[in-house]
Amino acid sequence: MNFEYFVVKRLISAKKYKSSISAPIIKIAITAIAIGVIMMLVSFATGLGLQEKIRDKISAFNGHINISSYDNNSSKVSLIPVSKNQDFYPEFNTVDGIKHIQAVATKFAVIRTEEDFEGIIVKGVGDDYSWEYFDEFLIDGKLPDFSSNLNDEILISQYLANRLQLKVGDKVPTYFLREDSERPLARGFEITGIYESGFQEFDELYLLADIRHIQRINKWEDDQVGNFEVFVENFNELDQKGNEVYENTGSFLDTQTISQKYYSIFEWLSLFDFNIALIIGIMILVAGINMITALLVLILERTQMIGILKGLGAGDWSIRKIFLYNAGYLIILGLFWGNLIGIGILALQKYFKLVPLDPRTYYVTEVPIYLNWDYILAVNFGTLILCMLMLLIPSVIISKISPVKAIKFE
């Protein structure tokens, strides 16, 4: 082992490479590994980041699982009320992995100002509503408080505020259509906060108000709501939990996960998994080919040394290990620079948001970054192991070298 260590140390010495014909090829191999690592880290961080960000934005407006009456027919507004007196509310104890459940109701309305008007959906929420996501979306004012008496506070999107020239503190005349009357019912709300999710499909529609307004306008009882929104602890188990929630609700209630409700969006998001896998495969293949080339050059350049080692009694596998150790050192060097540059680029984007995106196409205003040690370590160990396995094949050439011919080799 001490002899192998001595040889490896001499092989990886920087002085050996300065005048070596293999120096440029080695540099190319290290650069290829570094670029490959950067591309793989960027693919993981942006792909997973975009999936997580869009998923969270859809969840903010819909929950993970929606429980409503069958008669609503997937309408965006609440048509048929559902009683709050359910076994699963306010705690869904019959299904493990449920984080939160909240009762909401929606109704179509029109905001009218002196100069313009806009059709919206008023989402009524109560004291059980989780403001976790909207706390992040809030850009001005404060979140409404519906925990005590009925009030006129509302949360409106930046998109609607800009179109209607509204700001925090403004009074908003809102008109609701009623089935039992030709004249709309007017309600005056006061803007206490403005949010921006970056998901224009929702921002241009939803206004959040006290659910008791919806109940009174629809002439519902105090215990009647439009639907329930359920949040799960692990989104990867959404389909499984969706089935369990369905089995543990009444036969007159329907359940729908957001992946079913927004099927096209989640199908589009699933393409990122294929893109990530494709990029990883290509990058590892390119890095592996460059390392194979570098190893072959090293072997050919040191043919005489291999012959001498064989003449001294060294076995084929011992000599192969020397070159594989050397190749491993080069791979680790490429991984170091790849991680340094790659994580640096991702950190800059995460905290300074240098690269913007069109929210009409990507549903986000900038490239989202998801940093996690799991995939960072997987990329590094995966690249190292796969490249080393690929190098086992060209290293077989060492066993084919004859000591006599190698010593005479020029």
Side-chain angles (χ1 to χ4, degrees):
M1 179 59 70
N2 291 333
F3 174 72
E4 289 180 356
Y5 173 77
F6 172 76
V7 176
V8 170
K9 185 176 180 181
R10 298 296 298 167
L11 274 171
I12 65 179
S13 171
K15 294 180 180 179
K16 288 285 182 180
Y17 291 140
K18 285 183 178 178
S19 60
S20 172
I21 61 172
S22 62
I25 296 176
I26 290 172
K27 290 179 180 178
I28 292 173
I30 294 173
T31 303
I33 292 174
I35 293 175
V37 170
I38 293 171
M39 293 294 294
M40 286 187 282
L41 291 178
V42 170
S43 298
F44 266 113
T46 55
L48 296 177
L50 193 62
Q51 288 178 324
E52 182 184 49
K53 204 70 175 179
I54 294 176
R55 181 187 71 201
D56 288 347
K57 290 183 178 184
I58 297 175
S59 303
F61 291 92
N62 301 271
H64 293 144
I65 305 170
N66 191 278
I67 304 174
S68 62
S69 171
Y70 273 107
D71 296 327
N72 275 337
N73 297 322
S74 300
S75 174
K76 289 185 177 181
V77 297
S78 304
L79 302 176
I80 306 299
V82 178
S83 174
K84 291 172 67 175
N85 300 320
Q86 306 288 341
D87 294 336
F88 55 78
Y89 182 82
E91 298 291 337
F92 212 128
N93 297 320
T94 55
V95 177
D96 294 330
I98 299 300
K99 181 171 64 174
H100 180 67
I101 181 170
Q102 58 198 25
V104 300
T106 53
K107 190 169 182 65
F108 179 77
V110 175
I111 295 178
R112 183 176 180 84
T113 64
E114 294 181 358
E115 299 178 353
D116 207 349
F117 67 93
E118 193 76 26
I120 59 164
I121 293 177
V122 177
K123 181 173 182 177
V125 302
D127 57 1
D128 63 345
Y129 192 73
S130 173
W131 295 99
E132 175 185 353
Y133 295 109
F134 282 94
D135 191 39
E136 178 186 347
F137 299 157
L138 189 68
I139 61 173
D140 193 14
K142 64 182 182 66
L143 296 172
D145 182 10
F146 304 137
S147 60
S148 56
N149 296 329
L150 175 66
N151 60 59
D152 298 328
E153 296 180 352
I154 60 169
L155 183 68
I156 193 171
S157 70
Q158 180 70 59
Y159 175 88
L160 291 173
N162 290 340
R163 284 183 63 88
L164 299 172
Q165 299 181 357
L166 298 171
K167 62 182 182 301
V168 173
D170 284 352
K171 300 291 184 179
V172 180
T174 308
Y175 299 88
F176 296 87
L177 296 178
R178 295 186 298 178
E179 295 182 359
D180 59 349
S181 175
E182 295 182 358
R183 299 186 62 181
L185 181 64
R187 282 287 188 273
F189 295 117
E190 180 181 352
I191 300 175
T192 60
I194 297 177
Y195 74 88
E196 183 177 21
S197 72
F199 205 119
Q200 189 169 319
E201 182 178 335
F202 295 136
D203 286 359
E204 65 186 11
L205 275 182
Y206 285 98
L207 175 155
L208 275 69
D210 196 320
I211 191 173
R212 287 167 287 190
H213 287 292
I214 307 296
Q215 291 170 329
R216 291 188 178 188
I217 293 169
N218 287 341
K219 297 182 179 180
W220 292 350
E221 300 295 332
D222 292 341
D223 64 346
Q224 291 181 317
V225 297
N227 55 281
F228 297 94
E229 293 176 347
V230 180
F231 292 86
V232 299
E233 293 178 353
N234 186 354
F235 189 85
N236 294 327
E237 299 177 350
L238 179 62
D239 292 336
Q240 174 191 341
K241 296 304 175 184
N243 293 330
E244 292 180 20
V245 168
Y246 178 79
E247 293 172 358
N248 286 272
T249 54
S251 58
F252 58 92
L253 292 176
D254 186 26
T255 63
Q256 188 178 38
T257 65
I258 54 173
S259 60
Q260 295 170 332
K261 188 175 182 179
Y262 298 96
Y263 178 80
S264 59
I265 295 178
F266 279 89
E267 277 295 297
W268 173 66
L269 288 178
S270 66
L271 294 177
F272 285 90
D273 294 331
F274 173 77
N275 293 340
I276 292 172
L278 181 63
I279 291 174
I280 289 174
I282 293 174
M283 290 299 103
I284 289 179
L285 183 62
V286 170
I289 291 174
N290 278 275
M291 282 306 306
I292 289 173
T293 304
L295 182 61
L296 289 174
V297 171
L298 285 173
I299 292 172
L300 293 175
E301 191 178 46
R302 288 162 175 76
T303 302
Q304 284 186 327
M305 186 195 75
I306 294 172
I308 293 172
L309 291 175
K310 284 192 173 184
L312 292 173
D316 290 337
W317 177 240
S318 296
I319 300 174
R320 287 175 67 184
K321 283 195 295 183
I322 292 172
F323 284 92
L324 289 175
Y325 290 156
N326 189 31
Y329 167 79
L330 298 178
I331 294 171
I332 291 174
L333 195 60
L335 291 174
F336 170 77
W337 287 109
N339 281 278
L340 184 66
I341 298 172
I343 295 176
I345 292 173
L346 296 175
L348 286 173
Q349 175 60 25
K350 181 177 179 67
Y351 296 107
F352 297 100
K353 307 184 188 309
L354 303 177
V355 182
L357 288 177
D358 184 358
R360 291 173 296 183
T361 303
Y362 296 98
Y363 307 107
V364 290
T365 55
E366 71 278 332
V367 177
I369 301 297
Y370 175 75
L371 287 175
N372 188 283
W373 284 111
D374 291 343
Y375 73 78
I376 293 176
L377 293 175
V379 165
N380 283 271
F381 284 110
T383 302
L384 178 61
I385 293 171
L386 289 175
C387 285
M388 291 300 291
L389 289 174
M390 293 173 69
L391 292 176
L392 287 174
I393 299 175
S395 68
V396 175
I397 194 174
I398 292 173
S399 63
K400 307 297 182 182
I401 296 176
S402 169
V404 176
K405 294 181 180 181
I407 294 172
K408 294 180 179 180
F409 180 76
E410 292 293 340

